[in-house]
Amino acid sequence: MTTPEPGDPAPRPPGTPAPPEPAAVVQAEARLPTDDERRLHPWSWLFVLLASVRQLIVPLGALVVFGGRSEDSWQLIGAGVVVAMLALASIWRYFTYRYRIDGDSLLVRSGVFERSLRQVPFSRIHNVALHQTLLHRVFGVAEVKLESAGGTRPEAQMRVLKLADALALERVIRHRGHAATDAAPEVSPSTAGDGETLLSLGMGEIVRLGLISNRGMVVVAAAFALAWQVFPERRMLGLFRDFWRDAFGYVGQFNGGWLATAASVALFVLLVLALIRAFSVVLAIVRYHGFRLSQHGRRLTVERGLLTRVRASVPRRRIQAWTLRESVLHRAFGRRSLDIDTATSQVDPNQEKPLQELAPVATPAACDALVNHVLRDAAWPPAGWSPLHRRAWMRLLLGDIVFGVAAIAVATWHFGSWGLLALLWLPWAWLVARGHAARAGYAIDGRLVAVREGWWSRRWRFAELDKVQALELRRSPLDRHFGMASVWVDTAGAGAMSGALRIRHLPLDEARRLHARIAGEVARRPLRW
């Protein structure tokens, strides 16, 4: 039995006739009849083959490159044999893979030599992800992943289904998964189709997102690192030396002196930054084109992508924690970003979850309204924030100085007296520490526990109390010296970038009281996944 969320319809009493199913669900079940085993799309073997070849692209490429000579033709033959075997395995997988809908579960029959029958209850499916690359769209198909909390792989992965069948399966899971909890139907006739749109991004917002983000810089840095590994180090240094000499030689022809040289360097830096931002805008358009966040009953669905279309959905109750981000560029454009943590399986912990960015970019008012819409009966933002320890800025500054002194020593040893210029970093560190300590704080009420931090780049992180899984009181040596402590609140689904909800640098007695209060609140209510 799943605990109903505040504001959801009351459970249906036993013996009460079930309400009529929405027309969209009836059509979906008519397209995917129950008790009938179905195969994947006839071209599914091709996509399985391409996925297998993609994993072996490096060794196969090496065989092709180094097997071009006649005396090494056996290497090319070996590569052909490998591809042929993969093709046969993919075709055999198509003939041995079956699925059918059985009541409130999905039955998947698969296996080449070792046959297996896997039963996946709809009520345990947390995320339904539809993935469409450009090739998928050409064939009119989609890859479907069904994920649950925990685990190292999806509960079921279908490569591939016809797009209409994939959407029909998503509707059936959405409806029957909620019906299995004995609660009211998740989908109403008004929301059974495209759902209620909560947020959509036009081209103007996507361009703003590209200007705000640093994705272009990440790609440029990766390309530079790859070039440095591929080309000899001397050649790379020679290219930079020749470019620098030619550029400044051209500027020196105008006899402008050091002022013209400084202006040229500044212009060159601005040009590079402009190109990086332009690249970020292009990446944002490719990734977020047609972004739409919609609600289907108690399930949130995100669709996005220009070349590769991604459609992912998750029940509201599966959201474990929320993160609001606001960088300097966010504030310049009057925008914020809203991310969520969900407890879903993931093969690669470094891989981005299908539904993580609830609002890649939106106004602060839109982000707050979205939080209050999904977290019904919650008050966001909190009415008041409790401050940190009065000497928290000293604790922050001292922690930065420990690493700063080491960096200054290394710079001085490497660059001589010029390395002392790194001392100019200390006033900035003092300013950041004072600003962070003055603005940071925490808030807790009967529904949420929240923390805000940062001054230059700001972040708000919060979670429902009944989603808390672990609680910890921490004290480092510096914390003990200043009479401070930190409270770490952990939830399921926290990624490497988000981490635990940390309320740091509180007075020791206050940290103990907060720890006891949260522990008491959590003990009185069941854990909701």
Side-chain angles (χ1 to χ4, degrees), residues 194-212:
D194 294 334
E196 176 190 359
T197 299
L198 302 181
L199 178 69
S200 61
L201 299 183
M203 187 56 65
E205 288 296 321
I206 296 176
V207 170
R208 289 188 184 92
L209 176 59
L211 295 174
I212 291 171

Side-chain angles (χ1 to χ4, degrees), residues 225-438:
L226 179 61
W228 194 271
Q229 294 294 327
V230 172
F231 297 104
E233 181 178 352
R234 292 182 179 179
R235 183 175 179 183
M236 291 293 296
L237 292 175
L239 289 175
F240 282 110
R241 191 184 305 110
D242 293 342
F243 172 79
W244 188 266
R245 183 176 60 251
D246 293 343
F248 280 92
Y250 177 77
V251 173
Q253 294 178 0
F254 298 97
N255 297 323
W258 66 269
L259 186 60
T261 301
S264 301
V265 171
L267 183 61
F268 175 76
V269 171
L270 290 176
L271 179 60
V272 171
L273 293 177
L275 290 175
I276 291 175
R277 290 299 168 182
F279 195 32
S280 297
V281 170
V282 172
L283 292 178
I285 293 173
V286 171
R287 179 181 175 85
Y288 296 102
H289 179 267
F291 180 93
R292 178 173 177 265
L293 170 66
S294 58
Q295 177 179 337
H296 301 78
R298 293 174 61 183
R299 185 176 286 270
L300 301 176
T301 301
V302 167
E303 299 176 78
R304 60 171 174 81
L306 178 62
L307 302 178
T308 298
R309 292 292 296 175
V310 176
R311 177 184 172 95
S313 63
V314 66
R316 294 200 315 263
R317 66 180 183 274
R318 306 303 188 193
I319 299 176
Q320 304 298 310
W322 303 69
T323 305
L324 273 167
R325 305 181 191 275
E326 184 185 85
S327 65
V328 177
L329 288 176
H330 276 98
R331 290 197 294 276
F333 287 95
R335 297 294 186 270
R336 286 178 184 169
S337 298
L338 177 61
D339 300 339
I340 58 173
D341 295 338
T342 57
T344 57
S345 64
Q346 204 166 337
V347 177
D348 184 359
N350 297 320
Q351 181 181 357
E352 182 186 7
K353 295 185 178 181
L355 204 163
Q356 184 176 19
E357 298 172 300
L358 213 58
V361 65
T363 62
C367 291
D368 294 343
L370 187 57
V371 172
N372 287 314
H373 178 84
V374 178
L375 292 179
R376 298 175 181 177
D377 299 332
W380 181 262
W385 295 88
S386 300
L388 305 184
H389 193 285
R390 60 184 180 84
R391 294 190 297 173
W393 70 271
M394 297 176 62
R395 166 66 178 83
L396 292 169
L397 181 59
L398 188 58
D400 290 341
I401 288 178
V402 171
F403 296 99
V405 169
I408 292 171
V410 171
T412 304
W413 174 78
H414 188 73
F415 297 105
S417 58
W418 287 99
L420 296 177
L421 291 176
L423 292 172
L424 298 176
W425 164 82
L426 290 177
W428 172 252
W430 175 84
L431 184 64
V432 170
R434 295 286 295 191
H436 182 117

